[in-house]
Amino acid sequence: MIREPLPHDSAELHVAGEARYVDDLPEPPGTLFAALGTSAHAHARILSLDLDPVRAAPGVVTAITARDIPGKNNIGPVFPDEPLFAADLAEFRGQPLFAVAATSVELARRAAQLARVEYQPLDPVVTIEQSLQTGKVVHPTLTVTRGELSALKNASHRLGLKLRSGAQEHFYLEGQVALAIPGERGEMLIYSSTQHPTEVQHLAAAALGVPDAAVTVELRRLGGGFGGKETQAAGFAMAAALLARATGRPVKLRADRDDDIIGTGKRHDFLYQLEVGFDGDGRIEAVDLMMASRCGLSNDLSNAVNDRAVFHCDNAYFLPALKVVSHRCKTNTVSATAFRGFGGPQGMFAIEGAIAAIARRLGVDPLEIRKKNLYGEAPRNVTHYGMTLKDNVLPQLLEELESKSDYRARRKAIAAFNAKNQYLKKGLALTPVKFGIAYTNIPMNQGGALVHIYTDGSVHLNHGGTEMGQGLMIKVAQMVAAELGVDVERVHISATTTGKVPNTSPTAASSGADINGEAALAACRVLKERLAPLRAKHPEHGLAQLARAAYNARISLSAAGYFRTPEIQFSREKFLGEPFYYFAYGAAVAEVAIDTLTGESRLLRADLLHDVGRSLNPAIDRGQVEGGFIQGMGWLTMEEVVWDAKGALLTHAPSTYKIPVASDAPPVFNTWLWESGENVRDIAHRSKAVGEPPLMLALSVFHAISDAIGATADTRDPVPLEAPATPENILKALCVLKS
Ligand code: MTE
Ligand code: MOS
């Protein structure tokens, strides 16, 4: 069962359209439908808000503002710094000011447009540069240093770079949605498409002014989250719950796609300034790095996201001397949030740019520079946050990929192609990934599960994790089935609910199978122990007979399991410790062609070699590796989030925002789960977290494009390509490089 490539437990339901998402649940009689009324300005004082026309509109039952919230007007998950409904000050265009409930979705959305709002517009701060000038941040700047930065001045070679990586819209298939059903004595049942039911529960309870225990949040699955529903599902659920409280009727709030894109946070885009010193062989001696990110109006998860960028600014390389300054810029844009990789991809982006620039300066293949700078033997095995690598498999993995992908021969073939072709140029790149596994906020590294065995031997499985398509449920079910010695079909996967497993962490940081799987195993072990005497007496019994016998002997067939990740520790003040339980590793080779006249690019071939440890389910893991890679390619090549000077988001629909589709997958697409992979930690059957790390394999695509651009000019200057490598940015880089 373990390590079998079983299909996703809902695969057939997905295909048949039978998998139920929140919007598919039968609506209780009397259900009302909600819409949000939002700010027309990115930055403005709200002088007055008149909802009379809204309330008078057809079908409207009620409309509520900040003043109608009985409890706390706050959606800030870590720092209470963002209101659900803005009252006096609007801080981004699209910020909710009120919510309306009506008898149909259409009527609610129409009514929401009718509010009379008087604004006093203020100057918006939209860009990172503007924010750096004002000095406004959502959290104090973090500076981390290691070694002597004087090594930079003394280095025989030096170069400076200014880089940029773009934001990214999650574009989950299922938009933000919640259905709130009021009960007796202040109870509220909320079906929410959230990665973090517990947080929705707590924030909704605080807004309603009731104890956490009165609110239950439940969901069977999300139609994709990608980090976009880690914190930002809460506002929708809270608005639905408040309207349900105000009307005494069930209320459903499902955001229209444009409103969803405008009203929810994206990946943080980053601006980088760096200086790197290196020797004649391309070995890095010192790095001085400034990173600044667009956080939007509030903290949300920006602190943790930017910290993770700092943790990953080394990617896979030993940096003997380093100074990182990380600014968390406050802007009048929607609050940026978690997105697959959680700042890790942004952190790695700069150092990979530096490596490519060093290679160009020295006139050697970037792969040589990458290999020379990989973490290796002591003392070159300690990160800038003081963690000693005990599981670094990259030197071996890179060698394997280089040979599996036929890198050398293709490098030559591409050089020959480029010599012959004037307008089409090809490029090649091999990039590594090292990604730390654990929530960097230490208390979050815990999980719970609840397992019942019924007297027919069927098993009810519940845990704190949420299913968003990543295959968490089937993985945990496989672990439970193996532990209890039953077929996986006997394990019934059930909806995630705060009523069964409380105080959970979000399903995030790729830790789902680790913490929920181990918690479920802990529950199974308790059950097995209770059944052991009966098993000894009746070795021939299957689980059904054992369960029946246990019931008759009055032995409990239900157990809660709990797991916390051992050993990890970290001091944020010193920025030192062992914040990660282990690392996930991988590498990718990308080959691209660009058209130097139009700036178009095409991924021709990708070879991915990824370490998932000893895979729990190779079919699921392969899907995560391929899907993550393609999503990362979208971030780095075609997905472009654009705000205008007034802070209006211009890219809020598929007409203006382009994500990869099936035909963007490369015609030659090799994905290998690394066969020698084995987690040095004894967790989840020595598998490794796989949800996020493969996204960063797509750095290879960006660098292959950059390599192709580089082939057009015989200079030693860095290729000035900004991410995303859209046709415009590719053309710009071609022009700048030639001039
Ligand atoms: N895969 C699918 N199909 N849909 C998703 O929303 N989210 C990703 C990743 N893979 C996601 C996905 C993100 S951001 C994370 S953190 C992990 O899945 C979370 O699940 P896990 O911890 O079970 O890997
Ligand atoms: Mo994933 S960005 O940790 O939800």
Side-chain angles (χ1 to χ4, degrees):
M1 230 151 312
I2 292 296
R3 318 204 191 291
E4 260 184 66
L6 298 181
H8 192 288
D9 50 280
S10 300
E12 287 183 12
L13 301 183
H14 291 153
V15 175
E18 286 169 12
R20 281 194 189 184
Y21 297 86
V22 171
D23 202 30
D24 301 317
L25 298 175
E27 287 148 9
T31 296
L32 298 172
F33 302 87
L36 300 173
T38 61
S39 168
H41 291 271
H43 197 197
R45 262 180 232 303
I46 300 165
L47 303 178
S48 69
L49 174 60
D50 176 7
L51 293 189
D52 286 348
V54 178
R55 294 197 173 99
V60 169
V61 177
T62 196
I64 56 170
T65 67
R67 264 177 296 154
D68 304 305
I69 299 176
K72 291 198 178 113
N73 180 17
N74 170 56
I75 60 170
V78 185
F79 304 93
D81 64 349
E82 183 174 353
L84 171 61
F85 299 132
D88 310 314
L89 185 68
E91 291 196 275
F92 79 91
R93 195 172 142 152
Q95 183 172 25
L97 307 179
F98 66 94
V100 52
T103 50
S104 79
V105 176
E106 196 56 40
L107 291 174
R109 287 181 184 170
R110 271 169 209 252
Q113 305 301 316
L114 302 177
R116 278 194 288 258
V117 194
E118 249 185 290
Y119 299 97
Q120 181 196 333
L122 304 167
D123 284 339
V125 173
V126 178
T127 65
I128 295 173
E129 284 87 344
Q130 285 169 347
S131 172
L132 286 174
Q133 269 166 15
T134 66
K136 280 209 176 141
V137 287
V138 295
H139 202 269
T141 293
L142 171 70
T143 302
V144 174
T145 55
R146 129 184 275 183
E148 292 300 325
L149 211 63
S150 54
L152 194 57
K153 276 193 230 106
N154 303 332
S156 53
H157 298 263
R158 255 191 296 170
L159 59 83
L161 289 173
K162 190 177 167 191
L163 304 166
R164 202 182 281 279
S165 65
Q168 187 177 21
E169 157 60 30
H170 303 83
F171 229 110
Y172 23 65
L173 278 180
E174 175 208 33
Q176 301 276 0
V177 58
L179 169 64
I181 304 174
E184 59 188 45
R185 292 179 301 141
E187 288 174 355
M188 190 67 67
L189 170 61
I190 307 175
Y191 293 96
S192 164
S193 179
T194 173
Q195 295 172 238
H196 200 347
T198 287
E199 190 167 274
V200 172
Q201 176 203 15
H202 293 177
L203 286 171
L208 292 165
V210 300
D212 290 346
V215 178
T216 302
V217 176
E218 176 171 328
L219 78 153
R220 173 58 184 88
R221 60 175 66 79
L222 308 92
F226 306 112
K229 297 172 184 167
E230 188 177 335
T231 57
Q232 302 215 354
F236 297 90
M238 292 160 71
L242 288 163
L243 287 168
R245 168 66 5 91
T247 58
R249 291 164 68 170
V251 173
K252 181 150 84 177
L253 174 50
R254 174 171 55 78
D256 162 79
R257 179 64 65 174
D258 293 77
D259 297 339
D260 187 317
I261 299 182
I262 291 168
T264 62
K266 338 241 146 271
R267 183 188 291 287
H268 295 69
D269 56 325
F270 271 58
L271 176 72
Y272 315 82
Q273 191 98 50
L274 77 80
E275 218 182 329
V276 55
F278 50 100
D279 68 15
D281 291 334
R283 228 173 239 244
I284 294 174
E285 290 175 345
V287 174
D288 188 355
L289 171 64
M290 186 285 293
M291 303 195 276
S293 72
R294 174 155 36 192
C295 297
L297 79 159
S298 71
N299 240 292
D300 187 87
L301 294 169
S302 291
N303 204 34
V305 166
N306 283 277
D307 278 6
R308 190 168 271 270
V310 172
F311 281 119
H312 287 82
C313 71
D314 57 343
N315 188 13
Y317 311 112
F318 178 67
L319 309 175
L322 172 69
K323 179 178 177 202
V324 204
V325 178
S326 161
H327 300 296
R328 293 101 203 259
C329 300
K330 181 175 161 112
T331 50
N332 293 111
T333 51
V334 64
S335 199
T337 194
F339 197 135
R340 208 170 191 172
F342 204 84
Q346 294 97 314
M348 295 174 191
F349 185 82
I351 195 69
E352 289 300 341
I355 296 256
I358 293 170
R360 218 170 142 78
R361 173 67 57 86
L362 298 177
V364 297
D365 188 324
L367 180 55
E368 296 314 314
I369 308 298
R370 291 199 159 92
K371 285 187 189 168
K372 278 200 182 111
N373 285 288
L374 285 182
Y375 281 106
E377 304 296 319
R380 294 177 61 88
N381 64 345
V382 182
T383 68
H384 53 290
Y385 45 91
M387 179 159 176
T388 302
L389 298 189
K390 298 189 186 105
D391 58 6
N392 182 14
V393 298
L394 276 176
Q396 194 189 340
L397 194 146
L398 247 61
E399 292 295 338
E400 270 187 49
L401 180 62
E402 186 179 339
S403 100
K404 270 168 124 66
S405 67
D406 213 9
Y407 181 91
R408 295 283 142 196
R410 287 164 65 201
R411 172 62 78 199
K412 279 202 195 112
I414 285 171
F417 177 94
N418 288 341
K420 265 196 271 161
N421 288 275
Q422 192 186 350
Y423 299 123
L424 290 182
K425 294 287 176 190
K426 286 188 179 180
L428 187 71
L430 188 160
T431 58
V433 168
K434 162 183 131 288
F435 191 78
I437 302 300
Y439 304 89
T440 56
N441 178 7
I442 301 291
M444 288 167 77
N445 293 282
Q446 54 175 315
L450 181 65
V451 177
H452 310 315
I453 303 173
Y454 294 99
T455 49
D456 69 349
S458 64
V459 178
H460 177 100
L461 169 61
N462 196 269
H463 56 76
T466 60
E467 176 64 45
M468 57 192 106
Q470 85 277 37
L472 171 62
M473 295 292 170
I474 186 68
K475 282 186 171 179
V476 178
Q478 283 174 272
M479 291 170 73
V480 166
E483 190 67 20
L484 295 178
V486 294
D487 282 349
V488 74
E489 289 78 34
R490 295 295 276 166
V491 179
H492 182 83
I493 294 165
S494 61
T496 311
T497 166
T498 55
K500 284 186 193 166
V501 178
N503 307 319
T504 52
S505 293
T507 304
S510 306
S511 303
D514 282 1
I515 64 172
N516 298 292
E518 286 295 330
L521 284 188
C524 292
R525 286 189 196 113
V526 171
L527 292 167
K528 268 171 71 176
E529 216 166 283
R530 288 192 205 139
L531 293 174
L534 289 169
R535 213 185 267 275
K537 236 197 267 175
H538 309 286
E540 74 291 354
H541 275 11
L543 192 60
Q545 287 160 301
L546 274 180
R548 172 57 62 185
Y551 171 79
N552 289 336
R554 292 189 290 170
I555 293 169
S556 165
L557 287 166
S558 173
Y562 176 79
F563 174 76
R564 60 174 173 186
T565 314
E567 288 176 60
I568 47 176
Q569 43 85 18
F570 185 67
S571 157
R572 174 77 174 32
E573 266 115 83
K574 299 194 191 112
F575 216 83
L576 283 176
E578 299 237 341
F580 302 118
Y581 196 45
Y582 61 89
F583 291 90
Y585 300 93
V589 178
E591 179 176 341
V592 304
I594 63 167
D595 182 330
T596 58
L597 298 177
T598 64
E600 285 163 290
S601 71
R602 189 93 182 82
L603 177 61
L604 302 175
R605 174 171 167 180
D607 297 83
L608 318 181
L609 181 58
H610 197 77
D611 173 21
V612 298
R614 298 184 62 198
S615 176
L616 281 170
N617 182 325
I620 295 288
D621 284 350
R622 178 175 296 270
Q624 286 293 293
V625 174
E626 291 179 351
F629 172 77
I630 294 291
Q631 192 167 42
M633 178 180 88
W635 168 51
L636 289 168
T637 61
M638 62 180 80
E639 298 185 36
E640 190 172 30
V641 178
V642 182
W643 286 273
D644 73 10
K646 289 185 166 169
L649 183 66
L650 302 181
T651 48
H652 52 77
S655 52
T656 44
Y657 188 77
K658 187 167 153 45
I659 61 172
V661 295
S663 58
D664 291 306
V668 183
F669 197 178
N670 297 315
T671 301
W672 298 288
L673 304 181
W674 194 45
E675 276 176 22
S676 325
E678 179 171 70
N679 199 336
V680 295
R681 300 291 200 173
D682 188 5
I683 190 164
H685 293 270
R686 296 201 185 264
S687 66
K688 284 190 176 185
V690 69
E692 297 165 284
L695 181 131
M696 290 149 267
L697 297 175
L699 285 162
S700 61
V701 181
F702 182 82
H703 282 285
I705 293 173
S706 172
D707 187 54
I709 296 170
T712 62
D714 201 11
T715 74
R716 298 238 159 156
D717 300 331
V719 175
L721 180 63
E722 290 187 352
T726 55
E728 290 88 340
N729 277 338
I730 290 175
L731 283 179
K732 226 196 302 178
L734 285 164
C735 291
V736 176
L737 195 61
K738 283 219 182 94
S739 61

